[in-house]
Amino acid sequence: MRFDQARLDALRAAVDAGTFEGAARELSVTPSAISQRIRSLETETGRVLVQRSKPVRPTASGEVLLRLARQVDALGRDADAALGRERAPGDGDGDDGDAALPRLEPLSLAVNADSLATWLLPALQPLAGDIAFEMQRADESRTTELLRQGAVMAAITTDPAPVQGCSSVALGAMRYRPMASPEFVDRWLSSGGARRGGTGAQRLEGLTAAPVVVFDRSDDLQYRYLRFRGVEASSPPCHFVPSSADFVEAVRRGFGWGMVPELQVRDDDSLVALDPSHRVDVLLHWQQWQLHTAALARTAEAVRVAASRALRR
């Protein structure tokens, strides 16, 4: 089945904008035209493709065609670049005589917060003059869902099994350790028992009541450590801090203990390890669409090289 490009564009624009009105503004047509094109696509496929809510959301069938629409759009932009058809903002207006400016190729990524806060931005910095990155932050266990929905072209994820239509490459592991400020350990963990060699019973007693810093409600690292130590995960109070840098800062300021990435606290003596022998290695993978564009290929190579230097093998 061959799909009409204008209909695919209407589907993509409606999901991106969240409304038919926003899609109409992007494509310079009426909201009625957007609605008619999507309905025609639904008639053509025999499937409901979007939930007509605010924001507009794709159905499972709509996700398949949304992914196709984004892939066709990406390939078209890549062909334009190869042919030297770079357009300046406002191209076609004829209202100024300025030479055409280079156009950055858009590329959407789903990334986990800790990679974003440590090694990923330096990896992508050399490409920022050519590629306009749209980064959607999500837990590393959930980024593949954005790939599956067609919302992004690539993702850093813990899932090694490739999403349909994607490839998967192992990047390495981010290492986490349970850490806290010395003052927090002194106050909560049995008079400093964890830091100064207190007994296992003392440390266990302290962990039952000591506050925990958690990134968000999908962050399971702290709870996994508590279960490993035989502590009921629901016992201690939690502070939720949904920012990677602020998470570490909250641990430094004594809000609670937390599983901190080694990459964020190297040569940092403001934190101490609660359990020096305990570590958690979170294996990361790079998944991307199985299509070739220059922007996607360059990004994948930059991520692979940076990960080989920053992550554990």
Side-chain angles (χ1 to χ4, degrees), residues 274-312:
L274 303 187
D275 191 343
S277 65
H278 187 85
R279 60 184 182 272
V280 174
D281 287 343
V282 176
L283 297 175
L284 299 178
H285 296 77
W286 172 260
Q287 291 205 33
Q288 68 173 66
W289 291 348
Q290 288 182 322
L291 81 164
H292 177 81
T293 70
L296 189 54
R298 292 177 65 195
T299 300
E301 178 63 10
V303 168
R304 186 192 63 78
V305 170
S308 70
R309 296 169 178 165
L311 303 182
R312 291 181 175 270

PDB file of all heavy atoms in Angstrom, residues 274-312:
ATOM      1  N   LEU A 274      27.815   4.555  51.415  1.00  0.00           N
ATOM      2  CA  LEU A 274      27.211   3.846  52.533  1.00  0.00           C
ATOM      3  C   LEU A 274      27.719   2.413  52.615  1.00  0.00           C
ATOM      4  O   LEU A 274      27.819   1.831  53.686  1.00  0.00           O
ATOM      5  CB  LEU A 274      25.676   3.806  52.384  1.00  0.00           C
ATOM      6  CG  LEU A 274      24.928   5.126  52.249  1.00  0.00           C
ATOM      7  CD1 LEU A 274      23.434   4.862  52.298  1.00  0.00           C
ATOM      8  CD2 LEU A 274      25.340   6.087  53.342  1.00  0.00           C
ATOM      9  N   ASP A 275      27.988   1.856  51.463  1.00  0.00           N
ATOM     10  CA  ASP A 275      28.330   0.444  51.363  1.00  0.00           C
ATOM     11  C   ASP A 275      29.379   0.313  50.259  1.00  0.00           C
ATOM     12  O   ASP A 275      29.044   0.062  49.101  1.00  0.00           O
ATOM     13  CB  ASP A 275      27.067  -0.350  51.024  1.00  0.00           C
ATOM     14  CG  ASP A 275      27.254  -1.840  51.161  1.00  0.00           C
ATOM     15  OD1 ASP A 275      28.415  -2.293  51.205  1.00  0.00           O
ATOM     16  OD2 ASP A 275      26.245  -2.563  51.220  1.00  0.00           O
ATOM     17  N   PRO A 276      30.672   0.527  50.575  1.00  0.00           N
ATOM     18  CA  PRO A 276      31.704   0.608  49.534  1.00  0.00           C
ATOM     19  C   PRO A 276      31.757  -0.588  48.596  1.00  0.00           C
ATOM     20  O   PRO A 276      32.199  -0.457  47.457  1.00  0.00           O
ATOM     21  CB  PRO A 276      32.996   0.739  50.349  1.00  0.00           C
ATOM     22  CG  PRO A 276      32.576   1.345  51.635  1.00  0.00           C
ATOM     23  CD  PRO A 276      31.216   0.764  51.930  1.00  0.00           C
ATOM     24  N   SER A 277      31.326  -1.738  49.063  1.00  0.00           N
ATOM     25  CA  SER A 277      31.406  -2.929  48.212  1.00  0.00           C
ATOM     26  C   SER A 277      30.209  -3.075  47.281  1.00  0.00           C
ATOM     27  O   SER A 277      30.223  -3.913  46.382  1.00  0.00           O
ATOM     28  CB  SER A 277      31.513  -4.186  49.081  1.00  0.00           C
ATOM     29  OG  SER A 277      30.320  -4.368  49.849  1.00  0.00           O
ATOM     30  N   HIS A 278      29.185  -2.251  47.486  1.00  0.00           N
ATOM     31  CA  HIS A 278      27.962  -2.416  46.692  1.00  0.00           C
ATOM     32  C   HIS A 278      27.947  -1.450  45.512  1.00  0.00           C
ATOM     33  O   HIS A 278      28.224  -0.264  45.653  1.00  0.00           O
ATOM     34  CB  HIS A 278      26.723  -2.176  47.552  1.00  0.00           C
ATOM     35  CG  HIS A 278      25.448  -2.486  46.825  1.00  0.00           C
ATOM     36  ND1 HIS A 278      24.920  -3.752  46.763  1.00  0.00           N
ATOM     37  CD2 HIS A 278      24.606  -1.704  46.111  1.00  0.00           C
ATOM     38  CE1 HIS A 278      23.803  -3.738  46.059  1.00  0.00           C
ATOM     39  NE2 HIS A 278      23.595  -2.507  45.650  1.00  0.00           N
ATOM     40  N   ARG A 279      27.599  -1.949  44.360  1.00  0.00           N
ATOM     41  CA  ARG A 279      27.462  -1.118  43.162  1.00  0.00           C
ATOM     42  C   ARG A 279      26.393  -1.737  42.275  1.00  0.00           C
ATOM     43  O   ARG A 279      26.125  -2.938  42.319  1.00  0.00           O
ATOM     44  CB  ARG A 279      28.784  -1.034  42.412  1.00  0.00           C
ATOM     45  CG  ARG A 279      29.316  -2.380  41.949  1.00  0.00           C
ATOM     46  CD  ARG A 279      30.679  -2.232  41.295  1.00  0.00           C
ATOM     47  NE  ARG A 279      31.182  -3.504  40.800  1.00  0.00           N
ATOM     48  CZ  ARG A 279      31.884  -4.367  41.516  1.00  0.00           C
ATOM     49  NH1 ARG A 279      32.157  -4.084  42.788  1.00  0.00           N
ATOM     50  NH2 ARG A 279      32.318  -5.491  40.989  1.00  0.00           N
ATOM     51  N   VAL A 280      25.807  -0.902  41.452  1.00  0.00           N
ATOM     52  CA  VAL A 280      24.821  -1.347  40.465  1.00  0.00           C
ATOM     53  C   VAL A 280      25.259  -0.822  39.111  1.00  0.00           C
ATOM     54  O   VAL A 280      25.457   0.391  38.946  1.00  0.00           O
ATOM     55  CB  VAL A 280      23.402  -0.832  40.798  1.00  0.00           C
ATOM     56  CG1 VAL A 280      22.430  -1.178  39.679  1.00  0.00           C
ATOM     57  CG2 VAL A 280      22.925  -1.421  42.117  1.00  0.00           C
ATOM     58  N   ASP A 281      25.448  -1.713  38.158  1.00  0.00           N
ATOM     59  CA  ASP A 281      25.799  -1.327  36.796  1.00  0.00           C
ATOM     60  C   ASP A 281      24.553  -1.405  35.921  1.00  0.00           C
ATOM     61  O   ASP A 281      23.953  -2.473  35.774  1.00  0.00           O
ATOM     62  CB  ASP A 281      26.877  -2.256  36.230  1.00  0.00           C
ATOM     63  CG  ASP A 281      28.244  -2.000  36.850  1.00  0.00           C
ATOM     64  OD1 ASP A 281      28.426  -0.922  37.449  1.00  0.00           O
ATOM     65  OD2 ASP A 281      29.115  -2.878  36.744  1.00  0.00           O
ATOM     66  N   VAL A 282      24.156  -0.266  35.377  1.00  0.00           N
ATOM     67  CA  VAL A 282      22.983  -0.194  34.501  1.00  0.00           C
ATOM     68  C   VAL A 282      23.470  -0.208  33.059  1.00  0.00           C
ATOM     69  O   VAL A 282      24.121   0.738  32.598  1.00  0.00           O
ATOM     70  CB  VAL A 282      22.150   1.075  34.786  1.00  0.00           C
ATOM     71  CG1 VAL A 282      20.990   1.188  33.804  1.00  0.00           C
ATOM     72  CG2 VAL A 282      21.641   1.057  36.227  1.00  0.00           C
ATOM     73  N   LEU A 283      23.169  -1.286  32.358  1.00  0.00           N
ATOM     74  CA  LEU A 283      23.627  -1.453  30.979  1.00  0.00           C
ATOM     75  C   LEU A 283      22.768  -0.615  30.037  1.00  0.00           C
ATOM     76  O   LEU A 283      21.531  -0.703  30.065  1.00  0.00           O
ATOM     77  CB  LEU A 283      23.553  -2.926  30.577  1.00  0.00           C
ATOM     78  CG  LEU A 283      24.457  -3.874  31.379  1.00  0.00           C
ATOM     79  CD1 LEU A 283      24.204  -5.323  30.963  1.00  0.00           C
ATOM     80  CD2 LEU A 283      25.919  -3.522  31.190  1.00  0.00           C
ATOM     81  N   LEU A 284      23.413   0.184  29.204  1.00  0.00           N
ATOM     82  CA  LEU A 284      22.717   1.056  28.264  1.00  0.00           C
ATOM     83  C   LEU A 284      22.920   0.571  26.830  1.00  0.00           C
ATOM     84  O   LEU A 284      23.976   0.041  26.488  1.00  0.00           O
ATOM     85  CB  LEU A 284      23.216   2.497  28.395  1.00  0.00           C
ATOM     86  CG  LEU A 284      23.024   3.158  29.762  1.00  0.00           C
ATOM     87  CD1 LEU A 284      23.614   4.555  29.757  1.00  0.00           C
ATOM     88  CD2 LEU A 284      21.548   3.194  30.153  1.00  0.00           C
ATOM     89  N   HIS A 285      21.902   0.786  26.008  1.00  0.00           N
ATOM     90  CA  HIS A 285      21.951   0.432  24.593  1.00  0.00           C
ATOM     91  C   HIS A 285      21.495   1.632  23.764  1.00  0.00           C
ATOM     92  O   HIS A 285      20.738   2.487  24.236  1.00  0.00           O
ATOM     93  CB  HIS A 285      21.050  -0.774  24.304  1.00  0.00           C
ATOM     94  CG  HIS A 285      21.483  -2.028  24.979  1.00  0.00           C
ATOM     95  ND1 HIS A 285      21.249  -2.250  26.324  1.00  0.00           N
ATOM     96  CD2 HIS A 285      22.140  -3.129  24.512  1.00  0.00           C
ATOM     97  CE1 HIS A 285      21.742  -3.438  26.652  1.00  0.00           C
ATOM     98  NE2 HIS A 285      22.282  -3.978  25.587  1.00  0.00           N
ATOM     99  N   TRP A 286      21.965   1.677  22.531  1.00  0.00           N
ATOM    100  CA  TRP A 286      21.542   2.691  21.565  1.00  0.00           C
ATOM    101  C   TRP A 286      20.633   2.008  20.547  1.00  0.00           C
ATOM    102  O   TRP A 286      21.041   1.080  19.868  1.00  0.00           O
ATOM    103  CB  TRP A 286      22.758   3.291  20.871  1.00  0.00           C
ATOM    104  CG  TRP A 286      22.457   4.206  19.713  1.00  0.00           C
ATOM    105  CD1 TRP A 286      22.499   3.897  18.383  1.00  0.00           C
ATOM    106  CD2 TRP A 286      22.085   5.590  19.780  1.00  0.00           C
ATOM    107  NE1 TRP A 286      22.182   4.994  17.618  1.00  0.00           N
ATOM    108  CE2 TRP A 286      21.914   6.050  18.451  1.00  0.00           C
ATOM    109  CE3 TRP A 286      21.873   6.476  20.842  1.00  0.00           C
ATOM    110  CZ2 TRP A 286      21.562   7.352  18.160  1.00  0.00           C
ATOM    111  CZ3 TRP A 286      21.511   7.783  20.534  1.00  0.00           C
ATOM    112  CH2 TRP A 286      21.364   8.220  19.224  1.00  0.00           C
ATOM    113  N   GLN A 287      19.394   2.461  20.499  1.00  0.00           N
ATOM    114  CA  GLN A 287      18.468   1.947  19.497  1.00  0.00           C
ATOM    115  C   GLN A 287      18.098   3.080  18.548  1.00  0.00           C
ATOM    116  O   GLN A 287      17.892   4.226  18.973  1.00  0.00           O
ATOM    117  CB  GLN A 287      17.204   1.380  20.151  1.00  0.00           C
ATOM    118  CG  GLN A 287      17.432   0.114  20.936  1.00  0.00           C
ATOM    119  CD  GLN A 287      16.169  -0.723  21.044  1.00  0.00           C
ATOM    120  OE1 GLN A 287      15.337  -0.737  20.135  1.00  0.00           O
ATOM    121  NE2 GLN A 287      16.039  -1.437  22.151  1.00  0.00           N
ATOM    122  N   GLN A 288      18.009   2.761  17.251  1.00  0.00           N
ATOM    123  CA  GLN A 288      17.652   3.767  16.265  1.00  0.00           C
ATOM    124  C   GLN A 288      16.895   3.123  15.117  1.00  0.00           C
ATOM    125  O   GLN A 288      16.939   1.915  14.928  1.00  0.00           O
ATOM    126  CB  GLN A 288      18.900   4.458  15.721  1.00  0.00           C
ATOM    127  CG  GLN A 288      19.790   3.552  14.874  1.00  0.00           C
ATOM    128  CD  GLN A 288      20.926   4.305  14.218  1.00  0.00           C
ATOM    129  OE1 GLN A 288      21.804   4.808  14.904  1.00  0.00           O
ATOM    130  NE2 GLN A 288      20.916   4.374  12.898  1.00  0.00           N
ATOM    131  N   TRP A 289      16.201   3.987  14.372  1.00  0.00           N
ATOM    132  CA  TRP A 289      15.503   3.502  13.184  1.00  0.00           C
ATOM    133  C   TRP A 289      16.492   2.864  12.217  1.00  0.00           C
ATOM    134  O   TRP A 289      17.640   3.315  12.091  1.00  0.00           O
ATOM    135  CB  TRP A 289      14.828   4.655  12.469  1.00  0.00           C
ATOM    136  CG  TRP A 289      13.664   5.242  13.208  1.00  0.00           C
ATOM    137  CD1 TRP A 289      13.020   4.732  14.288  1.00  0.00           C
ATOM    138  CD2 TRP A 289      13.011   6.469  12.887  1.00  0.00           C
ATOM    139  NE1 TRP A 289      12.005   5.560  14.675  1.00  0.00           N
ATOM    140  CE2 TRP A 289      11.965   6.622  13.829  1.00  0.00           C
ATOM    141  CE3 TRP A 289      13.196   7.432  11.902  1.00  0.00           C
ATOM    142  CZ2 TRP A 289      11.115   7.722  13.806  1.00  0.00           C
ATOM    143  CZ3 TRP A 289      12.350   8.520  11.876  1.00  0.00           C
ATOM    144  CH2 TRP A 289      11.325   8.671  12.815  1.00  0.00           C
ATOM    145  N   GLN A 290      16.028   1.848  11.519  1.00  0.00           N
ATOM    146  CA  GLN A 290      16.850   1.204  10.500  1.00  0.00           C
ATOM    147  C   GLN A 290      16.687   1.926   9.165  1.00  0.00           C
ATOM    148  O   GLN A 290      16.134   1.406   8.207  1.00  0.00           O
ATOM    149  CB  GLN A 290      16.474  -0.275  10.356  1.00  0.00           C
ATOM    150  CG  GLN A 290      16.929  -1.126  11.520  1.00  0.00           C
ATOM    151  CD  GLN A 290      16.586  -2.580  11.327  1.00  0.00           C
ATOM    152  OE1 GLN A 290      15.527  -2.921  10.804  1.00  0.00           O
ATOM    153  NE2 GLN A 290      17.460  -3.466  11.749  1.00  0.00           N
ATOM    154  N   LEU A 291      17.176   3.140   9.127  1.00  0.00           N
ATOM    155  CA  LEU A 291      17.248   3.885   7.886  1.00  0.00           C
ATOM    156  C   LEU A 291      18.482   4.755   7.952  1.00  0.00           C
ATOM    157  O   LEU A 291      18.977   5.060   9.045  1.00  0.00           O
ATOM    158  CB  LEU A 291      15.993   4.733   7.648  1.00  0.00           C
ATOM    159  CG  LEU A 291      15.867   6.085   8.355  1.00  0.00           C
ATOM    160  CD1 LEU A 291      14.775   6.894   7.687  1.00  0.00           C
ATOM    161  CD2 LEU A 291      15.533   5.920   9.825  1.00  0.00           C
ATOM    162  N   HIS A 292      19.006   5.093   6.790  1.00  0.00           N
ATOM    163  CA  HIS A 292      20.241   5.864   6.780  1.00  0.00           C
ATOM    164  C   HIS A 292      19.953   7.311   6.430  1.00  0.00           C
ATOM    165  O   HIS A 292      19.421   7.628   5.368  1.00  0.00           O
ATOM    166  CB  HIS A 292      21.240   5.301   5.767  1.00  0.00           C
ATOM    167  CG  HIS A 292      22.490   6.122   5.695  1.00  0.00           C
ATOM    168  ND1 HIS A 292      23.515   5.988   6.614  1.00  0.00           N
ATOM    169  CD2 HIS A 292      22.864   7.120   4.852  1.00  0.00           C
ATOM    170  CE1 HIS A 292      24.471   6.855   6.325  1.00  0.00           C
ATOM    171  NE2 HIS A 292      24.097   7.550   5.274  1.00  0.00           N
ATOM    172  N   THR A 293      20.285   8.196   7.352  1.00  0.00           N
ATOM    173  CA  THR A 293      20.400   9.615   7.042  1.00  0.00           C
ATOM    174  C   THR A 293      21.742  10.066   7.597  1.00  0.00           C
ATOM    175  O   THR A 293      22.265   9.475   8.555  1.00  0.00           O
ATOM    176  CB  THR A 293      19.276  10.461   7.679  1.00  0.00           C
ATOM    177  OG1 THR A 293      19.470  10.511   9.102  1.00  0.00           O
ATOM    178  CG2 THR A 293      17.891   9.871   7.374  1.00  0.00           C
ATOM    179  N   ALA A 294      22.284  11.107   7.020  1.00  0.00           N
ATOM    180  CA  ALA A 294      23.600  11.576   7.461  1.00  0.00           C
ATOM    181  C   ALA A 294      23.553  12.012   8.924  1.00  0.00           C
ATOM    182  O   ALA A 294      24.461  11.710   9.703  1.00  0.00           O
ATOM    183  CB  ALA A 294      24.063  12.732   6.570  1.00  0.00           C
ATOM    184  N   ALA A 295      22.490  12.710   9.312  1.00  0.00           N
ATOM    185  CA  ALA A 295      22.390  13.205  10.690  1.00  0.00           C
ATOM    186  C   ALA A 295      22.330  12.053  11.678  1.00  0.00           C
ATOM    187  O   ALA A 295      22.993  12.071  12.726  1.00  0.00           O
ATOM    188  CB  ALA A 295      21.173  14.107  10.833  1.00  0.00           C
ATOM    189  N   LEU A 296      21.533  11.041  11.372  1.00  0.00           N
ATOM    190  CA  LEU A 296      21.395   9.910  12.278  1.00  0.00           C
ATOM    191  C   LEU A 296      22.692   9.117  12.363  1.00  0.00           C
ATOM    192  O   LEU A 296      23.112   8.689  13.452  1.00  0.00           O
ATOM    193  CB  LEU A 296      20.242   9.016  11.816  1.00  0.00           C
ATOM    194  CG  LEU A 296      19.804   7.897  12.762  1.00  0.00           C
ATOM    195  CD1 LEU A 296      19.474   8.434  14.142  1.00  0.00           C
ATOM    196  CD2 LEU A 296      18.611   7.158  12.177  1.00  0.00           C
ATOM    197  N   ALA A 297      23.365   8.925  11.239  1.00  0.00           N
ATOM    198  CA  ALA A 297      24.622   8.178  11.232  1.00  0.00           C
ATOM    199  C   ALA A 297      25.700   8.913  12.034  1.00  0.00           C
ATOM    200  O   ALA A 297      26.438   8.299  12.814  1.00  0.00           O
ATOM    201  CB  ALA A 297      25.086   7.952   9.798  1.00  0.00           C
ATOM    202  N   ARG A 298      25.796  10.218  11.866  1.00  0.00           N
ATOM    203  CA  ARG A 298      26.808  10.985  12.592  1.00  0.00           C
ATOM    204  C   ARG A 298      26.521  10.983  14.094  1.00  0.00           C
ATOM    205  O   ARG A 298      27.442  10.878  14.921  1.00  0.00           O
ATOM    206  CB  ARG A 298      26.853  12.423  12.070  1.00  0.00           C
ATOM    207  CG  ARG A 298      27.375  12.566  10.646  1.00  0.00           C
ATOM    208  CD  ARG A 298      27.317  14.021  10.187  1.00  0.00           C
ATOM    209  NE  ARG A 298      28.216  14.871  10.959  1.00  0.00           N
ATOM    210  CZ  ARG A 298      28.164  16.199  10.968  1.00  0.00           C
ATOM    211  NH1 ARG A 298      27.221  16.825  10.264  1.00  0.00           N
ATOM    212  NH2 ARG A 298      29.024  16.906  11.680  1.00  0.00           N
ATOM    213  N   THR A 299      25.253  11.092  14.442  1.00  0.00           N
ATOM    214  CA  THR A 299      24.890  11.087  15.859  1.00  0.00           C
ATOM    215  C   THR A 299      25.196   9.740  16.494  1.00  0.00           C
ATOM    216  O   THR A 299      25.752   9.662  17.596  1.00  0.00           O
ATOM    217  CB  THR A 299      23.398  11.420  16.023  1.00  0.00           C
ATOM    218  OG1 THR A 299      23.142  12.721  15.479  1.00  0.00           O
ATOM    219  CG2 THR A 299      22.990  11.403  17.479  1.00  0.00           C
ATOM    220  N   ALA A 300      24.836   8.664  15.804  1.00  0.00           N
ATOM    221  CA  ALA A 300      25.094   7.323  16.334  1.00  0.00           C
ATOM    222  C   ALA A 300      26.585   7.095  16.563  1.00  0.00           C
ATOM    223  O   ALA A 300      26.992   6.529  17.584  1.00  0.00           O
ATOM    224  CB  ALA A 300      24.536   6.269  15.379  1.00  0.00           C
ATOM    225  N   GLU A 301      27.426   7.543  15.642  1.00  0.00           N
ATOM    226  CA  GLU A 301      28.866   7.357  15.785  1.00  0.00           C
ATOM    227  C   GLU A 301      29.407   8.187  16.944  1.00  0.00           C
ATOM    228  O   GLU A 301      30.252   7.708  17.728  1.00  0.00           O
ATOM    229  CB  GLU A 301      29.574   7.750  14.488  1.00  0.00           C
ATOM    230  CG  GLU A 301      31.099   7.654  14.527  1.00  0.00           C
ATOM    231  CD  GLU A 301      31.623   6.243  14.746  1.00  0.00           C
ATOM    232  OE1 GLU A 301      30.831   5.287  14.675  1.00  0.00           O
ATOM    233  OE2 GLU A 301      32.831   6.101  15.021  1.00  0.00           O
ATOM    234  N   ALA A 302      28.928   9.416  17.088  1.00  0.00           N
ATOM    235  CA  ALA A 302      29.389  10.264  18.187  1.00  0.00           C
ATOM    236  C   ALA A 302      28.994   9.664  19.538  1.00  0.00           C
ATOM    237  O   ALA A 302      29.784   9.668  20.488  1.00  0.00           O
ATOM    238  CB  ALA A 302      28.803  11.668  18.049  1.00  0.00           C
ATOM    239  N   VAL A 303      27.785   9.133  19.628  1.00  0.00           N
ATOM    240  CA  VAL A 303      27.327   8.507  20.868  1.00  0.00           C
ATOM    241  C   VAL A 303      28.154   7.263  21.170  1.00  0.00           C
ATOM    242  O   VAL A 303      28.577   7.028  22.307  1.00  0.00           O
ATOM    243  CB  VAL A 303      25.829   8.161  20.762  1.00  0.00           C
ATOM    244  CG1 VAL A 303      25.394   7.245  21.902  1.00  0.00           C
ATOM    245  CG2 VAL A 303      24.995   9.438  20.768  1.00  0.00           C
ATOM    246  N   ARG A 304      28.398   6.450  20.162  1.00  0.00           N
ATOM    247  CA  ARG A 304      29.160   5.204  20.370  1.00  0.00           C
ATOM    248  C   ARG A 304      30.576   5.502  20.868  1.00  0.00           C
ATOM    249  O   ARG A 304      31.060   4.870  21.816  1.00  0.00           O
ATOM    250  CB  ARG A 304      29.229   4.417  19.064  1.00  0.00           C
ATOM    251  CG  ARG A 304      29.876   3.047  19.199  1.00  0.00           C
ATOM    252  CD  ARG A 304      30.187   2.442  17.857  1.00  0.00           C
ATOM    253  NE  ARG A 304      31.166   3.229  17.100  1.00  0.00           N
ATOM    254  CZ  ARG A 304      32.475   3.204  17.351  1.00  0.00           C
ATOM    255  NH1 ARG A 304      32.956   2.461  18.332  1.00  0.00           N
ATOM    256  NH2 ARG A 304      33.311   3.943  16.636  1.00  0.00           N
ATOM    257  N   VAL A 305      31.245   6.466  20.243  1.00  0.00           N
ATOM    258  CA  VAL A 305      32.616   6.796  20.629  1.00  0.00           C
ATOM    259  C   VAL A 305      32.651   7.359  22.052  1.00  0.00           C
ATOM    260  O   VAL A 305      33.490   6.968  22.882  1.00  0.00           O
ATOM    261  CB  VAL A 305      33.237   7.793  19.629  1.00  0.00           C
ATOM    262  CG1 VAL A 305      34.564   8.341  20.157  1.00  0.00           C
ATOM    263  CG2 VAL A 305      33.423   7.136  18.272  1.00  0.00           C
ATOM    264  N   ALA A 306      31.741   8.267  22.370  1.00  0.00           N
ATOM    265  CA  ALA A 306      31.719   8.861  23.702  1.00  0.00           C
ATOM    266  C   ALA A 306      31.403   7.819  24.771  1.00  0.00           C
ATOM    267  O   ALA A 306      32.005   7.826  25.857  1.00  0.00           O
ATOM    268  CB  ALA A 306      30.697  10.002  23.755  1.00  0.00           C
ATOM    269  N   ALA A 307      30.471   6.935  24.481  1.00  0.00           N
ATOM    270  CA  ALA A 307      30.112   5.901  25.445  1.00  0.00           C
ATOM    271  C   ALA A 307      31.275   4.965  25.714  1.00  0.00           C
ATOM    272  O   ALA A 307      31.493   4.517  26.845  1.00  0.00           O
ATOM    273  CB  ALA A 307      28.899   5.111  24.942  1.00  0.00           C
ATOM    274  N   SER A 308      32.060   4.667  24.674  1.00  0.00           N
ATOM    275  CA  SER A 308      33.206   3.769  24.853  1.00  0.00           C
ATOM    276  C   SER A 308      34.239   4.365  25.796  1.00  0.00           C
ATOM    277  O   SER A 308      35.003   3.635  26.444  1.00  0.00           O
ATOM    278  CB  SER A 308      33.845   3.455  23.492  1.00  0.00           C
ATOM    279  OG  SER A 308      34.511   4.609  22.962  1.00  0.00           O
ATOM    280  N   ARG A 309      34.264   5.703  25.917  1.00  0.00           N
ATOM    281  CA  ARG A 309      35.206   6.380  26.797  1.00  0.00           C
ATOM    282  C   ARG A 309      34.632   6.604  28.211  1.00  0.00           C
ATOM    283  O   ARG A 309      35.373   6.551  29.189  1.00  0.00           O
ATOM    284  CB  ARG A 309      35.602   7.727  26.201  1.00  0.00           C
ATOM    285  CG  ARG A 309      36.354   7.628  24.878  1.00  0.00           C
ATOM    286  CD  ARG A 309      36.469   8.984  24.211  1.00  0.00           C
ATOM    287  NE  ARG A 309      37.233   8.901  22.972  1.00  0.00           N
ATOM    288  CZ  ARG A 309      37.255   9.863  22.048  1.00  0.00           C
ATOM    289  NH1 ARG A 309      36.571  10.992  22.265  1.00  0.00           N
ATOM    290  NH2 ARG A 309      37.956   9.709  20.931  1.00  0.00           N
ATOM    291  N   ALA A 310      33.322   6.829  28.292  1.00  0.00           N
ATOM    292  CA  ALA A 310      32.731   7.222  29.556  1.00  0.00           C
ATOM    293  C   ALA A 310      32.149   6.058  30.357  1.00  0.00           C
ATOM    294  O   ALA A 310      32.169   6.075  31.591  1.00  0.00           O
ATOM    295  CB  ALA A 310      31.641   8.266  29.320  1.00  0.00           C
ATOM    296  N   LEU A 311      31.610   5.052  29.661  1.00  0.00           N
ATOM    297  CA  LEU A 311      30.890   3.980  30.329  1.00  0.00           C
ATOM    298  C   LEU A 311      31.782   2.766  30.568  1.00  0.00           C
ATOM    299  O   LEU A 311      32.800   2.591  29.910  1.00  0.00           O
ATOM    300  CB  LEU A 311      29.666   3.577  29.506  1.00  0.00           C
ATOM    301  CG  LEU A 311      28.677   4.694  29.188  1.00  0.00           C
ATOM    302  CD1 LEU A 311      27.497   4.150  28.409  1.00  0.00           C
ATOM    303  CD2 LEU A 311      28.200   5.397  30.460  1.00  0.00           C
ATOM    304  N   ARG A 312      31.362   1.947  31.490  1.00  0.00           N
ATOM    305  CA  ARG A 312      32.102   0.724  31.810  1.00  0.00           C
ATOM    306  C   ARG A 312      31.754  -0.387  30.841  1.00  0.00           C
ATOM    307  O   ARG A 312      30.612  -0.522  30.428  1.00  0.00           O
ATOM    308  CB  ARG A 312      31.795   0.279  33.244  1.00  0.00           C
ATOM    309  CG  ARG A 312      32.377   1.246  34.284  1.00  0.00           C
ATOM    310  CD  ARG A 312      32.089   0.760  35.683  1.00  0.00           C
ATOM    311  NE  ARG A 312      32.754   1.619  36.667  1.00  0.00           N
ATOM    312  CZ  ARG A 312      33.973   1.423  37.129  1.00  0.00           C
ATOM    313  NH1 ARG A 312      34.663   0.361  36.692  1.00  0.00           N
ATOM    314  NH2 ARG A 312      34.511   2.235  38.007  1.00  0.00           N
TER     315      ARG A 312
END
